[in-house]
Amino acid sequence: MTTDTTPPAGPGPADTASAAKPSVLFVCVHNAGRSQMAAAYLHHLSEGRIEVLSAGSRPASQVNPAAVEAMAEEGIDIAAETPKILTTDAVEASDVVVTMGCGDECPYFPGKRYEDWVLDDPAGKGVESVRPIRDEIKRRIQHLIEDLLPG
């Protein structure tokens, strides 16, 4: 009788990837459109390598149509983002919590990396006023991806 001294195999490549996948929770207090733009960019630009735990508090059908149009110009369908209800489990599972200019109104998240993205209010109405906000969100998402993903 022989004894196999080979150590048991660890998790496979897929298991390792999912275990190491960072997650970001977007908390919407005031502006579901901004949260959902950020969530759509994060999902799109990270190619799914970062998990989006919450995309806002309203269905995409109730988001400002100018935000939907501004994202469509980038080839991103904001309606594909499904809002999730903020739960304690989502907060616990997240690596980063991002709010959109909530300031003191945002709940406290002990032990979590927290960012409050204060963005200028649009000067007008329609897609022209949303484009600068969209571009700033995209810039911040790109920095977030660089921070969270190695290489």
Side-chain angles (χ1 to χ4, degrees):
M1 189 159 124
T2 61
T3 304
D4 185 359
T5 58
T6 306
D15 296 334
T16 304
S18 65
K21 188 175 190 179
S23 58
V24 176
L25 172 66
F26 289 98
V27 180
C28 170
V29 173
H30 299 298
N31 196 311
R34 293 180 188 184
S35 291
Q36 287 179 259
M37 280 194 285
Y41 266 129
L42 180 61
H43 185 262
H44 181 76
L45 296 175
S46 76
E47 299 173 340
R49 294 176 294 157
I50 297 175
E51 184 178 5
V52 179
L53 295 178
S54 179
S57 61
R58 289 187 245 162
S61 61
Q62 295 177 9
V63 172
N64 179 351
V68 175
E69 184 179 345
M71 293 301 286
E73 291 176 353
E74 295 278 310
I76 297 174
D77 181 6
I78 200 171
E81 292 298 323
T82 304
K84 298 178 184 177
I85 296 170
L86 175 62
T87 65
T88 304
D89 290 344
V91 173
E92 290 300 318
S94 67
D95 295 309
V96 180
V97 177
V98 177
T99 59
M100 301 284 162
C102 299
D104 294 338
E105 296 180 42
C106 189
Y108 176 62
F109 302 102
K112 296 293 173 186
R113 174 176 164 184
Y114 170 71
E115 297 183 14
D116 187 32
W117 293 0
V118 180
L119 303 167
D120 291 334
D121 286 328
K125 292 187 175 181
V127 72
E128 295 82 15
S129 66
V130 174
R131 284 186 190 121
I133 291 171
R134 176 202 64 196
D135 295 343
E136 176 63 13
I137 288 172
K138 182 178 181 181
R139 186 185 68 77
R140 291 182 189 214
I141 287 294
Q142 288 170 327
H143 286 294
L144 188 60
I145 290 169
E146 290 169 8
D147 286 349
L148 294 175
L149 294 177

